[in-house]
Amino acid sequence: MFMLLGGCYAALQVVGVMLLFPVKSHTDMRKEEAQALITEPPLSTGEEEGAPALRGSHPVSSMSPREMVKTRHFITLWCMFLLNAVCVLFISTLYKTYGESEVVNDDRFLSTLGSAAAVCNAVGRIIWGLFADKVSFKAAIVTLTSAMTCLMASLYITHVFAESAGKPLLFVWICLIFMTFSGNFSLFPTAIAKTFGPQYVSINYGVLFTSSAVAGPIGALLSTFLLQKLHSYGIFILSAGLSFISFVLSLTFNARRANGKLV
């Protein structure tokens, strides 16, 4: 079994390597932009519509990591990502234990559920990315955190109706949760790029991702020590509380681009 899994993972890695291709450097893109300015008429507004800017400040092209970490917007994003990451760790590590002990003792069903949840995780990233492109990061993250709060707070309903409808309810709830939290990994890179500019986006997102390094041990310790004291219901309510705090923080996030629109 392990040899088969290893072969599958190796094949996937080979396909991923084959799909890699070189991208244009920042210098090449600047040259193309400069050439476009020579050949095209200037904009009447005098500003590039897509240039990022923080509310209350002048439009900026890009912010270095050292400049970024000093802003309130970055601190808000970092805290939101931390809270969301802890919730992700809770549900992704405990859903099978919860399902086996309190909903349905069917390992084959739970394995199928895990596969379906993984698909929802992948599809959800695309959906959330499209949603953020259509509206804004703020609208998308407010929707995500509010949905996560409601789903985590109501997850224990699968135990209440375990005998009559445990399997379908657990399947729907877990898939919806995975599809919801998947948006974190497509929304936050967008927020970093639009708020702090494209030049240092990789490094800036890496700095933001340090919150996951903090969330890892916190989530592991909390799930280990609190599960016996709070039980599954308490863990779900705790997760809903963390999501609600992230929801409140998302309401305070008011970074704007140069055209005045919310990030």
Side-chain angles (χ1 to χ4, degrees):
M1 183 64 179
F2 289 107
M3 295 296 293
L4 177 60
L5 288 174
C8 292
Y9 294 150
L12 291 174
Q13 290 293 326
V14 170
V15 173
V17 171
M18 293 174 63
L19 293 175
L20 293 175
F21 59 90
V23 296
K24 295 179 180 180
S25 66
H26 186 71
T27 303
D28 293 337
M29 294 175 65
R30 283 291 182 88
K31 289 180 179 179
E32 291 184 2
E33 291 174 0
Q35 184 63 31
L37 290 174
I38 296 175
T39 56
E40 295 180 3
L43 295 174
S44 59
T45 60
E47 293 181 348
E48 184 181 349
E49 185 177 351
L54 300 180
R55 186 178 182 180
S57 64
H58 297 290
V60 294
S61 57
S62 290
M63 276 185 144
S64 67
R66 182 174 297 182
E67 297 171 324
M68 178 189 69
V69 297
K70 299 176 182 178
T71 65
R72 179 176 63 86
H73 299 293
F74 172 77
I75 296 173
T76 302
L77 289 173
W78 194 92
C79 292
M80 283 194 295
F81 201 89
L82 172 67
L83 295 169
N84 294 352
V86 173
C87 294
V88 170
L89 288 171
F90 277 159
I91 191 61
S92 61
T93 56
L94 296 178
Y95 82 90
K96 191 171 183 179
T97 302
Y98 164 71
E100 284 182 333
S101 61
E102 301 191 40
V103 181
V104 53
N105 188 13
D106 187 342
D107 188 68
R108 182 178 294 273
F109 166 76
L110 292 171
S111 298
T112 303
L113 173 58
S115 300
V119 174
C120 291
N121 188 0
V123 174
R125 301 185 187 209
I126 301 173
I127 294 174
W128 282 109
L130 292 173
F131 182 54
D133 288 341
K134 292 293 183 180
V135 287
S136 65
F137 165 78
K138 180 171 182 175
I141 198 64
V142 167
T143 304
L144 185 151
T145 51
S146 59
M148 196 68 180
T149 301
C150 295
L151 288 169
M152 292 305 301
S154 59
L155 179 57
Y156 201 70
I157 198 175
T158 58
H159 170 73
V160 176
F161 296 98
E163 294 185 2
S164 58
K167 279 188 177 182
L169 284 176
L170 184 64
F171 192 93
V172 170
W173 248 257
I174 294 301
C175 285
L176 286 176
I177 289 173
F178 271 70
M179 184 172 287
T180 301
F181 76 60
S182 64
N184 290 302
F185 305 104
S186 56
L187 295 182
F188 281 94
T190 300
I192 289 293
K194 290 183 177 180
T195 306
F196 305 108
Q199 183 174 355
Y200 305 100
V201 64
S202 298
I203 302 175
N204 287 344
Y205 182 63
V207 175
L208 177 69
F209 210 79
T210 57
S211 59
S212 291
V214 178
I218 291 177
L221 291 173
L222 290 179
S223 61
T224 300
F225 294 105
L226 295 182
L227 182 60
Q228 295 180 351
K229 296 182 178 181
L230 301 180
H231 306 290
S232 299
Y233 178 73
I235 292 294
F236 298 155
I237 295 300
L238 175 61
S239 300
L242 295 176
S243 295
F244 181 75
I245 296 173
S246 183
F247 166 74
V248 174
L249 289 174
S250 68
L251 294 177
T252 67
F253 185 78
N254 58 357
R256 295 181 181 273
R257 305 184 72 176
N259 56 10
K261 294 182 179 180
L262 288 169
V263 167

